[in-house]
Amino acid sequence: MKKFLIVGLGNIGPKYENTRHNIGFKVLDYLAKKEDLTWETVKLGDVTTYKSKGRTFILLKPSTFMNLSGKAVKYWLDKENIPVENMLVITDDLNLSFGTFRIKTRGSSGGHNGLKDIQATLNSGSYPRFRFGISDEFSKGRQVDYVLGEWTPEEEAALGERLEKASQIIPSFGLAGINNTMNAFNGK
């Protein structure tokens, strides 16, 4: 059985629960609810397992806070003996308009502290990532407040449809492969 590690980036605790920065957690929570999966708090995160057509997807919400995500990622890749190309990291992206998807096989951190830490820990930027656009509707010097801020009522209204679409990327990644997934979902 082929295994995949799906990492949703976010910060733990109720203070961050509904913030833009926690979209990685939100996508995994949506899929877990849709598939009636139960989260278990284990070493370095909350984990649940989703199975589809002979594939096992280990869903991970690191408990290390965003800026230290690499530790949890490395631990679970090693523990489950999953090759880095079978990992998908879900994160927010200020450079994409709200709800836009960009899936890539590798790249830079783009200034994202969670990706920076993963890259430093793995000593590589060659791992698949799924960036969920949160837009950049903030005034100069207000980036942190914006990223750690809650969704606007308009964003909140559109989020359900975007989360449904985002949840489809995970099985596609494992069943159809990264290239087909990029073709099907990028820019959507």
Side-chain angles (χ1 to χ4, degrees), residues 108-139:
S108 75
S109 67
H112 192 285
N113 290 331
L115 294 179
K116 266 186 209 170
D117 193 62
I118 291 169
Q119 219 151 296
T121 304
L122 298 180
N123 204 21
S124 172
S126 295
Y127 58 87
R129 73 270 322 265
F130 161 24
R131 295 176 183 253
F132 187 110
I134 61 168
S135 84
D136 61 358
E137 300 292 317
F138 57 90
S139 52

PDB file of all heavy atoms in Angstrom, residues 108-139:
ATOM      1  N   SER A 108      10.713  27.832  -3.583  1.00  0.00           N
ATOM      2  CA  SER A 108      11.277  28.545  -2.433  1.00  0.00           C
ATOM      3  C   SER A 108      10.208  28.638  -1.345  1.00  0.00           C
ATOM      4  O   SER A 108       9.055  28.275  -1.563  1.00  0.00           O
ATOM      5  CB  SER A 108      11.711  29.951  -2.855  1.00  0.00           C
ATOM      6  OG  SER A 108      10.572  30.761  -3.014  1.00  0.00           O
ATOM      7  N   SER A 109      10.610  29.173  -0.224  1.00  0.00           N
ATOM      8  CA  SER A 109       9.658  29.348   0.874  1.00  0.00           C
ATOM      9  C   SER A 109       8.724  30.515   0.594  1.00  0.00           C
ATOM     10  O   SER A 109       7.669  30.624   1.209  1.00  0.00           O
ATOM     11  CB  SER A 109      10.402  29.605   2.183  1.00  0.00           C
ATOM     12  OG  SER A 109      11.063  30.856   2.126  1.00  0.00           O
ATOM     13  N   GLY A 110       9.110  31.388  -0.331  1.00  0.00           N
ATOM     14  CA  GLY A 110       8.292  32.563  -0.627  1.00  0.00           C
ATOM     15  C   GLY A 110       8.104  33.458   0.592  1.00  0.00           C
ATOM     16  O   GLY A 110       7.114  34.166   0.700  1.00  0.00           O
ATOM     17  N   GLY A 111       9.055  33.392   1.535  1.00  0.00           N
ATOM     18  CA  GLY A 111       8.959  34.202   2.744  1.00  0.00           C
ATOM     19  C   GLY A 111       8.078  33.597   3.826  1.00  0.00           C
ATOM     20  O   GLY A 111       7.913  34.178   4.895  1.00  0.00           O
ATOM     21  N   HIS A 112       7.502  32.424   3.567  1.00  0.00           N
ATOM     22  CA  HIS A 112       6.615  31.768   4.533  1.00  0.00           C
ATOM     23  C   HIS A 112       7.458  31.042   5.576  1.00  0.00           C
ATOM     24  O   HIS A 112       8.247  30.157   5.244  1.00  0.00           O
ATOM     25  CB  HIS A 112       5.697  30.789   3.794  1.00  0.00           C
ATOM     26  CG  HIS A 112       4.584  30.275   4.626  1.00  0.00           C
ATOM     27  ND1 HIS A 112       4.772  29.332   5.615  1.00  0.00           N
ATOM     28  CD2 HIS A 112       3.270  30.578   4.630  1.00  0.00           C
ATOM     29  CE1 HIS A 112       3.609  29.070   6.182  1.00  0.00           C
ATOM     30  NE2 HIS A 112       2.676  29.821   5.601  1.00  0.00           N
ATOM     31  N   ASN A 113       7.292  31.408   6.853  1.00  0.00           N
ATOM     32  CA  ASN A 113       8.139  30.849   7.906  1.00  0.00           C
ATOM     33  C   ASN A 113       7.979  29.343   8.106  1.00  0.00           C
ATOM     34  O   ASN A 113       8.939  28.660   8.438  1.00  0.00           O
ATOM     35  CB  ASN A 113       7.910  31.586   9.224  1.00  0.00           C
ATOM     36  CG  ASN A 113       8.464  32.994   9.167  1.00  0.00           C
ATOM     37  OD1 ASN A 113       9.425  33.271   8.459  1.00  0.00           O
ATOM     38  ND2 ASN A 113       7.840  33.899   9.891  1.00  0.00           N
ATOM     39  N   GLY A 114       6.786  28.823   7.908  1.00  0.00           N
ATOM     40  CA  GLY A 114       6.584  27.375   8.027  1.00  0.00           C
ATOM     41  C   GLY A 114       7.360  26.632   6.945  1.00  0.00           C
ATOM     42  O   GLY A 114       8.038  25.639   7.220  1.00  0.00           O
ATOM     43  N   LEU A 115       7.272  27.120   5.712  1.00  0.00           N
ATOM     44  CA  LEU A 115       8.011  26.500   4.605  1.00  0.00           C
ATOM     45  C   LEU A 115       9.516  26.678   4.790  1.00  0.00           C
ATOM     46  O   LEU A 115      10.292  25.767   4.484  1.00  0.00           O
ATOM     47  CB  LEU A 115       7.566  27.082   3.258  1.00  0.00           C
ATOM     48  CG  LEU A 115       6.119  26.786   2.850  1.00  0.00           C
ATOM     49  CD1 LEU A 115       5.806  27.440   1.506  1.00  0.00           C
ATOM     50  CD2 LEU A 115       5.842  25.294   2.788  1.00  0.00           C
ATOM     51  N   LYS A 116       9.928  27.840   5.301  1.00  0.00           N
ATOM     52  CA  LYS A 116      11.359  28.085   5.562  1.00  0.00           C
ATOM     53  C   LYS A 116      11.909  27.029   6.512  1.00  0.00           C
ATOM     54  O   LYS A 116      12.991  26.485   6.295  1.00  0.00           O
ATOM     55  CB  LYS A 116      11.550  29.459   6.224  1.00  0.00           C
ATOM     56  CG  LYS A 116      11.852  30.576   5.299  1.00  0.00           C
ATOM     57  CD  LYS A 116      12.172  31.832   6.124  1.00  0.00           C
ATOM     58  CE  LYS A 116      11.771  33.047   5.318  1.00  0.00           C
ATOM     59  NZ  LYS A 116      11.806  34.281   6.084  1.00  0.00           N
ATOM     60  N   ASP A 117      11.159  26.736   7.579  1.00  0.00           N
ATOM     61  CA  ASP A 117      11.630  25.769   8.566  1.00  0.00           C
ATOM     62  C   ASP A 117      11.659  24.350   7.995  1.00  0.00           C
ATOM     63  O   ASP A 117      12.593  23.595   8.251  1.00  0.00           O
ATOM     64  CB  ASP A 117      10.772  25.819   9.835  1.00  0.00           C
ATOM     65  CG  ASP A 117      11.434  25.055  10.973  1.00  0.00           C
ATOM     66  OD1 ASP A 117      12.548  25.446  11.383  1.00  0.00           O
ATOM     67  OD2 ASP A 117      10.856  24.049  11.432  1.00  0.00           O
ATOM     68  N   ILE A 118      10.660  24.000   7.207  1.00  0.00           N
ATOM     69  CA  ILE A 118      10.637  22.675   6.579  1.00  0.00           C
ATOM     70  C   ILE A 118      11.840  22.544   5.642  1.00  0.00           C
ATOM     71  O   ILE A 118      12.549  21.537   5.649  1.00  0.00           O
ATOM     72  CB  ILE A 118       9.304  22.434   5.822  1.00  0.00           C
ATOM     73  CG1 ILE A 118       8.155  22.315   6.827  1.00  0.00           C
ATOM     74  CG2 ILE A 118       9.397  21.182   4.949  1.00  0.00           C
ATOM     75  CD1 ILE A 118       6.770  22.345   6.201  1.00  0.00           C
ATOM     76  N   GLN A 119      12.077  23.580   4.845  1.00  0.00           N
ATOM     77  CA  GLN A 119      13.192  23.580   3.906  1.00  0.00           C
ATOM     78  C   GLN A 119      14.527  23.437   4.641  1.00  0.00           C
ATOM     79  O   GLN A 119      15.390  22.675   4.227  1.00  0.00           O
ATOM     80  CB  GLN A 119      13.174  24.883   3.114  1.00  0.00           C
ATOM     81  CG  GLN A 119      13.523  24.701   1.669  1.00  0.00           C
ATOM     82  CD  GLN A 119      12.854  25.754   0.807  1.00  0.00           C
ATOM     83  OE1 GLN A 119      11.637  25.803   0.721  1.00  0.00           O
ATOM     84  NE2 GLN A 119      13.645  26.587   0.194  1.00  0.00           N
ATOM     85  N   ALA A 120      14.678  24.174   5.736  1.00  0.00           N
ATOM     86  CA  ALA A 120      15.922  24.110   6.512  1.00  0.00           C
ATOM     87  C   ALA A 120      16.095  22.723   7.143  1.00  0.00           C
ATOM     88  O   ALA A 120      17.195  22.161   7.137  1.00  0.00           O
ATOM     89  CB  ALA A 120      15.920  25.184   7.596  1.00  0.00           C
ATOM     90  N   THR A 121      15.022  22.159   7.658  1.00  0.00           N
ATOM     91  CA  THR A 121      15.086  20.849   8.318  1.00  0.00           C
ATOM     92  C   THR A 121      15.363  19.732   7.317  1.00  0.00           C
ATOM     93  O   THR A 121      16.158  18.832   7.583  1.00  0.00           O
ATOM     94  CB  THR A 121      13.773  20.557   9.083  1.00  0.00           C
ATOM     95  OG1 THR A 121      13.538  21.628   9.999  1.00  0.00           O
ATOM     96  CG2 THR A 121      13.851  19.253   9.846  1.00  0.00           C
ATOM     97  N   LEU A 122      14.713  19.790   6.153  1.00  0.00           N
ATOM     98  CA  LEU A 122      14.910  18.752   5.130  1.00  0.00           C
ATOM     99  C   LEU A 122      16.130  19.041   4.253  1.00  0.00           C
ATOM    100  O   LEU A 122      16.518  18.218   3.445  1.00  0.00           O
ATOM    101  CB  LEU A 122      13.668  18.632   4.246  1.00  0.00           C
ATOM    102  CG  LEU A 122      12.366  18.227   4.920  1.00  0.00           C
ATOM    103  CD1 LEU A 122      11.237  18.163   3.900  1.00  0.00           C
ATOM    104  CD2 LEU A 122      12.511  16.892   5.641  1.00  0.00           C
ATOM    105  N   ASN A 123      16.677  20.249   4.401  1.00  0.00           N
ATOM    106  CA  ASN A 123      17.810  20.689   3.597  1.00  0.00           C
ATOM    107  C   ASN A 123      17.492  20.651   2.103  1.00  0.00           C
ATOM    108  O   ASN A 123      18.332  20.302   1.280  1.00  0.00           O
ATOM    109  CB  ASN A 123      19.048  19.841   3.919  1.00  0.00           C
ATOM    110  CG  ASN A 123      20.327  20.568   3.588  1.00  0.00           C
ATOM    111  OD1 ASN A 123      20.344  21.799   3.499  1.00  0.00           O
ATOM    112  ND2 ASN A 123      21.398  19.825   3.389  1.00  0.00           N
ATOM    113  N   SER A 124      16.228  20.978   1.778  1.00  0.00           N
ATOM    114  CA  SER A 124      15.793  20.932   0.383  1.00  0.00           C
ATOM    115  C   SER A 124      14.463  21.660   0.215  1.00  0.00           C
ATOM    116  O   SER A 124      13.631  21.655   1.117  1.00  0.00           O
ATOM    117  CB  SER A 124      15.613  19.475  -0.042  1.00  0.00           C
ATOM    118  OG  SER A 124      15.018  19.397  -1.314  1.00  0.00           O
ATOM    119  N   GLY A 125      14.302  22.257  -0.952  1.00  0.00           N
ATOM    120  CA  GLY A 125      13.024  22.854  -1.312  1.00  0.00           C
ATOM    121  C   GLY A 125      12.268  21.964  -2.291  1.00  0.00           C
ATOM    122  O   GLY A 125      11.238  22.343  -2.832  1.00  0.00           O
ATOM    123  N   SER A 126      12.799  20.753  -2.502  1.00  0.00           N
ATOM    124  CA  SER A 126      12.191  19.817  -3.453  1.00  0.00           C
ATOM    125  C   SER A 126      11.180  18.915  -2.761  1.00  0.00           C
ATOM    126  O   SER A 126      11.452  17.746  -2.479  1.00  0.00           O
ATOM    127  CB  SER A 126      13.268  18.971  -4.136  1.00  0.00           C
ATOM    128  OG  SER A 126      14.083  19.783  -4.927  1.00  0.00           O
ATOM    129  N   TYR A 127      10.030  19.490  -2.469  1.00  0.00           N
ATOM    130  CA  TYR A 127       8.922  18.707  -1.925  1.00  0.00           C
ATOM    131  C   TYR A 127       7.633  19.374  -2.404  1.00  0.00           C
ATOM    132  O   TYR A 127       7.566  20.593  -2.554  1.00  0.00           O
ATOM    133  CB  TYR A 127       8.969  18.629  -0.388  1.00  0.00           C
ATOM    134  CG  TYR A 127       8.937  19.963   0.302  1.00  0.00           C
ATOM    135  CD1 TYR A 127       7.719  20.573   0.610  1.00  0.00           C
ATOM    136  CD2 TYR A 127      10.105  20.636   0.625  1.00  0.00           C
ATOM    137  CE1 TYR A 127       7.675  21.811   1.216  1.00  0.00           C
ATOM    138  CE2 TYR A 127      10.067  21.870   1.245  1.00  0.00           C
ATOM    139  CZ  TYR A 127       8.848  22.453   1.530  1.00  0.00           C
ATOM    140  OH  TYR A 127       8.814  23.676   2.124  1.00  0.00           O
ATOM    141  N   PRO A 128       6.593  18.586  -2.682  1.00  0.00           N
ATOM    142  CA  PRO A 128       5.331  19.149  -3.172  1.00  0.00           C
ATOM    143  C   PRO A 128       4.653  20.032  -2.125  1.00  0.00           C
ATOM    144  O   PRO A 128       4.673  19.733  -0.940  1.00  0.00           O
ATOM    145  CB  PRO A 128       4.479  17.913  -3.478  1.00  0.00           C
ATOM    146  CG  PRO A 128       5.468  16.815  -3.683  1.00  0.00           C
ATOM    147  CD  PRO A 128       6.595  17.124  -2.737  1.00  0.00           C
ATOM    148  N   ARG A 129       4.073  21.131  -2.620  1.00  0.00           N
ATOM    149  CA  ARG A 129       3.329  22.016  -1.742  1.00  0.00           C
ATOM    150  C   ARG A 129       2.077  22.510  -2.449  1.00  0.00           C
ATOM    151  O   ARG A 129       2.039  22.602  -3.668  1.00  0.00           O
ATOM    152  CB  ARG A 129       4.192  23.169  -1.235  1.00  0.00           C
ATOM    153  CG  ARG A 129       4.556  24.276  -2.165  1.00  0.00           C
ATOM    154  CD  ARG A 129       5.828  24.150  -2.989  1.00  0.00           C
ATOM    155  NE  ARG A 129       6.990  23.548  -2.394  1.00  0.00           N
ATOM    156  CZ  ARG A 129       7.969  24.199  -1.821  1.00  0.00           C
ATOM    157  NH1 ARG A 129       7.921  25.499  -1.735  1.00  0.00           N
ATOM    158  NH2 ARG A 129       9.012  23.576  -1.350  1.00  0.00           N
ATOM    159  N   PHE A 130       1.074  22.794  -1.658  1.00  0.00           N
ATOM    160  CA  PHE A 130      -0.215  23.291  -2.130  1.00  0.00           C
ATOM    161  C   PHE A 130      -0.454  24.608  -1.404  1.00  0.00           C
ATOM    162  O   PHE A 130      -0.642  24.642  -0.200  1.00  0.00           O
ATOM    163  CB  PHE A 130      -1.298  22.245  -1.830  1.00  0.00           C
ATOM    164  CG  PHE A 130      -2.720  22.736  -1.819  1.00  0.00           C
ATOM    165  CD1 PHE A 130      -3.124  23.872  -2.512  1.00  0.00           C
ATOM    166  CD2 PHE A 130      -3.680  22.029  -1.123  1.00  0.00           C
ATOM    167  CE1 PHE A 130      -4.442  24.309  -2.484  1.00  0.00           C
ATOM    168  CE2 PHE A 130      -5.004  22.451  -1.089  1.00  0.00           C
ATOM    169  CZ  PHE A 130      -5.385  23.592  -1.767  1.00  0.00           C
ATOM    170  N   ARG A 131      -0.382  25.682  -2.178  1.00  0.00           N
ATOM    171  CA  ARG A 131      -0.575  27.023  -1.618  1.00  0.00           C
ATOM    172  C   ARG A 131      -2.021  27.461  -1.855  1.00  0.00           C
ATOM    173  O   ARG A 131      -2.504  27.386  -2.983  1.00  0.00           O
ATOM    174  CB  ARG A 131       0.395  28.007  -2.261  1.00  0.00           C
ATOM    175  CG  ARG A 131       1.853  27.700  -1.952  1.00  0.00           C
ATOM    176  CD  ARG A 131       2.762  28.657  -2.716  1.00  0.00           C
ATOM    177  NE  ARG A 131       4.159  28.378  -2.529  1.00  0.00           N
ATOM    178  CZ  ARG A 131       4.991  29.113  -1.801  1.00  0.00           C
ATOM    179  NH1 ARG A 131       4.550  30.177  -1.156  1.00  0.00           N
ATOM    180  NH2 ARG A 131       6.256  28.794  -1.707  1.00  0.00           N
ATOM    181  N   PHE A 132      -2.653  27.911  -0.799  1.00  0.00           N
ATOM    182  CA  PHE A 132      -4.048  28.365  -0.825  1.00  0.00           C
ATOM    183  C   PHE A 132      -4.009  29.885  -0.688  1.00  0.00           C
ATOM    184  O   PHE A 132      -3.539  30.414   0.314  1.00  0.00           O
ATOM    185  CB  PHE A 132      -4.793  27.733   0.357  1.00  0.00           C
ATOM    186  CG  PHE A 132      -6.277  27.959   0.375  1.00  0.00           C
ATOM    187  CD1 PHE A 132      -7.149  26.915   0.144  1.00  0.00           C
ATOM    188  CD2 PHE A 132      -6.808  29.206   0.659  1.00  0.00           C
ATOM    189  CE1 PHE A 132      -8.524  27.105   0.188  1.00  0.00           C
ATOM    190  CE2 PHE A 132      -8.182  29.420   0.697  1.00  0.00           C
ATOM    191  CZ  PHE A 132      -9.036  28.368   0.449  1.00  0.00           C
ATOM    192  N   GLY A 133      -4.492  30.586  -1.701  1.00  0.00           N
ATOM    193  CA  GLY A 133      -4.440  32.040  -1.699  1.00  0.00           C
ATOM    194  C   GLY A 133      -5.298  32.681  -0.627  1.00  0.00           C
ATOM    195  O   GLY A 133      -6.463  32.324  -0.460  1.00  0.00           O
ATOM    196  N   ILE A 134      -4.679  33.637   0.096  1.00  0.00           N
ATOM    197  CA  ILE A 134      -5.429  34.402   1.105  1.00  0.00           C
ATOM    198  C   ILE A 134      -5.451  35.887   0.739  1.00  0.00           C
ATOM    199  O   ILE A 134      -5.981  36.691   1.478  1.00  0.00           O
ATOM    200  CB  ILE A 134      -4.865  34.189   2.533  1.00  0.00           C
ATOM    201  CG1 ILE A 134      -3.415  34.661   2.644  1.00  0.00           C
ATOM    202  CG2 ILE A 134      -5.016  32.734   2.957  1.00  0.00           C
ATOM    203  CD1 ILE A 134      -2.899  34.750   4.079  1.00  0.00           C
ATOM    204  N   SER A 135      -4.862  36.254  -0.384  1.00  0.00           N
ATOM    205  CA  SER A 135      -4.749  37.614  -0.926  1.00  0.00           C
ATOM    206  C   SER A 135      -3.850  38.491  -0.060  1.00  0.00           C
ATOM    207  O   SER A 135      -3.319  38.046   0.960  1.00  0.00           O
ATOM    208  CB  SER A 135      -6.115  38.272  -1.157  1.00  0.00           C
ATOM    209  OG  SER A 135      -6.609  38.855   0.020  1.00  0.00           O
ATOM    210  N   ASP A 136      -3.690  39.728  -0.492  1.00  0.00           N
ATOM    211  CA  ASP A 136      -2.811  40.647   0.240  1.00  0.00           C
ATOM    212  C   ASP A 136      -3.520  41.976   0.487  1.00  0.00           C
ATOM    213  O   ASP A 136      -2.996  43.044   0.273  1.00  0.00           O
ATOM    214  CB  ASP A 136      -1.500  40.865  -0.513  1.00  0.00           C
ATOM    215  CG  ASP A 136      -1.713  41.471  -1.880  1.00  0.00           C
ATOM    216  OD1 ASP A 136      -2.875  41.693  -2.281  1.00  0.00           O
ATOM    217  OD2 ASP A 136      -0.707  41.746  -2.567  1.00  0.00           O
ATOM    218  N   GLU A 137      -4.750  41.874   0.975  1.00  0.00           N
ATOM    219  CA  GLU A 137      -5.593  43.048   1.221  1.00  0.00           C
ATOM    220  C   GLU A 137      -5.290  43.705   2.564  1.00  0.00           C
ATOM    221  O   GLU A 137      -6.151  43.806   3.420  1.00  0.00           O
ATOM    222  CB  GLU A 137      -7.074  42.636   1.165  1.00  0.00           C
ATOM    223  CG  GLU A 137      -7.515  42.054  -0.161  1.00  0.00           C
ATOM    224  CD  GLU A 137      -7.505  43.081  -1.280  1.00  0.00           C
ATOM    225  OE1 GLU A 137      -7.943  44.215  -1.056  1.00  0.00           O
ATOM    226  OE2 GLU A 137      -7.035  42.736  -2.381  1.00  0.00           O
ATOM    227  N   PHE A 138      -4.045  44.107   2.748  1.00  0.00           N
ATOM    228  CA  PHE A 138      -3.669  44.760   4.004  1.00  0.00           C
ATOM    229  C   PHE A 138      -2.807  45.977   3.701  1.00  0.00           C
ATOM    230  O   PHE A 138      -2.165  46.046   2.665  1.00  0.00           O
ATOM    231  CB  PHE A 138      -2.927  43.795   4.933  1.00  0.00           C
ATOM    232  CG  PHE A 138      -1.694  43.185   4.329  1.00  0.00           C
ATOM    233  CD1 PHE A 138      -0.451  43.796   4.456  1.00  0.00           C
ATOM    234  CD2 PHE A 138      -1.783  41.993   3.624  1.00  0.00           C
ATOM    235  CE1 PHE A 138       0.678  43.235   3.889  1.00  0.00           C
ATOM    236  CE2 PHE A 138      -0.652  41.417   3.057  1.00  0.00           C
ATOM    237  CZ  PHE A 138       0.582  42.043   3.192  1.00  0.00           C
ATOM    238  N   SER A 139      -2.822  46.927   4.615  1.00  0.00           N
ATOM    239  CA  SER A 139      -2.024  48.135   4.422  1.00  0.00           C
ATOM    240  C   SER A 139      -0.579  47.891   4.861  1.00  0.00           C
ATOM    241  O   SER A 139      -0.297  46.952   5.609  1.00  0.00           O
ATOM    242  CB  SER A 139      -2.638  49.308   5.192  1.00  0.00           C
ATOM    243  OG  SER A 139      -2.847  48.952   6.538  1.00  0.00           O
TER     244      SER A 139
END
